[in-house]
Amino acid sequence: MRKQMVAGNWKMNLTLQEAIDLAEQIASRLKDSTEASTPIVLCPPAGYLQAVSSITKEIRGLYTGAQNCHQEVSGAYTGEISVAMIQSCGAEYVILGHSERRAYFHEDNILLSKKVKRALAQGLKVIFCCGETLPERESEKHFDLVKQQLQEGLFHLSEEEMSLITIAYEPVWAIGTGVTATKEQAQEMHAFIRSLLREIYANSVADNCSILYGGSCNPKNAKELFEQEDVDGGLIGGASLKAEDFLAIIHSL
Ligand code: 13P
């Protein structure tokens, strides 16, 4: 059985104290209700990883993740963060391939494949994002585009490595826009992604890979999205910055 999961991507928001307050509110409300088999992951800005992980590590099933990592082990890469640094702050996950990293920091599939490999080699679990822009969907290239992102970014991995990957389908046109993919659009793409996994890997890999939906997911629409057969949870942006909303989304699982 694959895991259901919700992750909050806090992006470049919050002061340190606001981040601590948010993590504490979420942790205290989840205290007795989380299951180790349903991971909840908080992904704060890099500078807050240690502070947030010192809170999440007290709660079973609650984890901290980074929003990016570098592909090299260490060295002269000013401003970057390595996998070992992330781990030394107590984080266990990293988001890679977010469309904002692709668009604003020119991260392409080849670079992302190296980052994925590095993260897994050093024991960090990866939430790998894929998703099309509006023009790509309107010109009906969305399936090909997502296929290419996964083929070039992920499908060099062994079956064992693939079992440490969570995929997040985040249509770019839905991110931060208030326009959510319909449950049919989400299910169609998630099923497509799972069928790709089935073509390349054993059935067990496809069956066990959690595929999250991201893009204007909120307490109102989370339940109908999460009820879809191939939607295993969400990667949440804006709504993860408010404890009430994030908790309501978690409880929609
Ligand atoms: P929003 O939930 O704000 O649309 O952001 C989604 C996202 O980019 C999560 O990584």
Side-chain angles (χ1 to χ4, degrees):
M1 264 296 283
R2 58 181 173 263
K3 290 177 179 162
Q4 289 193 304
M5 177 170 167
V6 174
N9 177 5
W10 294 357
K11 307 191 181 182
M12 196 175 76
N13 292 297
L14 308 175
T15 63
L16 174 60
Q17 192 55 53
E18 287 167 345
I20 291 170
D21 291 347
L22 178 58
E24 277 176 347
Q25 283 174 49
I26 293 166
S28 69
R29 292 278 299 279
L30 288 178
K31 217 173 181 71
D32 300 312
S33 62
T34 48
E35 300 285 338
S37 60
T38 306
I40 306 299
V41 188
L42 308 183
C43 301
Y48 309 158
L49 284 170
Q50 187 185 11
V52 170
S53 75
S54 71
I55 297 165
T56 59
K57 74 173 197 281
E58 300 299 327
I59 310 290
R60 190 169 54 120
L62 186 60
Y63 303 94
T64 299
Q67 299 174 14
N68 178 36
C69 70
H70 198 270
Q71 66 275 17
E72 298 296 338
V73 174
S74 64
Y77 301 102
T78 301
E80 288 291 323
I81 187 162
S82 73
V83 172
M85 291 171 187
I86 292 168
Q87 291 171 314
S88 72
C89 292
E92 293 172 61
Y93 285 82
V94 63
I95 298 171
L96 290 174
H98 194 282
S99 62
E100 289 149 17
R101 299 289 317 173
R102 292 175 187 265
Y104 305 137
F105 302 96
H106 314 295
E107 296 195 358
D108 61 19
N109 295 333
I110 305 305
L111 173 66
L112 290 169
S113 73
K114 293 180 188 159
K115 292 191 176 207
V116 169
K117 199 81 182 166
R118 168 63 51 214
L120 294 179
Q122 294 183 228
L124 210 51
K125 296 188 185 80
V126 172
I127 301 171
F128 186 85
C129 304
C130 58
E132 80 286 355
T133 61
L134 190 57
E136 285 158 350
R137 176 165 280 265
E138 285 175 345
S139 55
E140 299 191 359
K141 296 201 180 89
H142 46 302
F143 291 114
D144 287 345
L145 192 280
V146 167
K147 182 175 181 178
Q148 190 180 2
Q149 288 175 332
L150 296 177
Q151 263 174 344
E152 296 180 1
L154 278 190
F155 289 170
H156 57 301
L157 299 177
S158 68
E159 271 183 23
E160 202 183 327
E161 289 171 320
M162 199 62 205
S163 67
L164 298 169
I165 301 281
T166 300
I167 295 173
Y169 169 58
E170 298 205 311
V172 179
W173 47 270
I175 296 177
T177 58
V179 180
T180 316
T182 63
K183 58 185 194 305
E184 291 82 9
Q185 287 171 323
Q187 168 57 25
E188 185 183 36
M189 185 58 87
H190 284 227
F192 173 71
I193 292 169
R194 207 176 300 286
S195 76
L196 292 176
L197 290 170
R198 217 175 288 285
E199 276 173 25
I200 311 279
Y201 297 101
N203 276 341
S204 58
V205 173
D207 289 338
N208 291 329
C209 182
S210 303
I211 307 177
L212 312 183
Y213 169 79
S216 297
C217 187
N218 61 41
K220 288 203 176 80
N221 58 33
K223 194 166 172 47
E224 67 170 16
L225 287 161
F226 297 170
E227 276 170 359
Q228 302 308 302
E229 187 178 342
D230 290 290
V231 179
D232 305 310
L235 177 55
I236 317 300
S240 72
L241 296 171
K242 291 194 199 110
E244 284 306 316
D245 287 355
F246 190 59
L247 288 159
I249 291 170
I250 291 167
H251 292 131
S252 306
L253 279 176

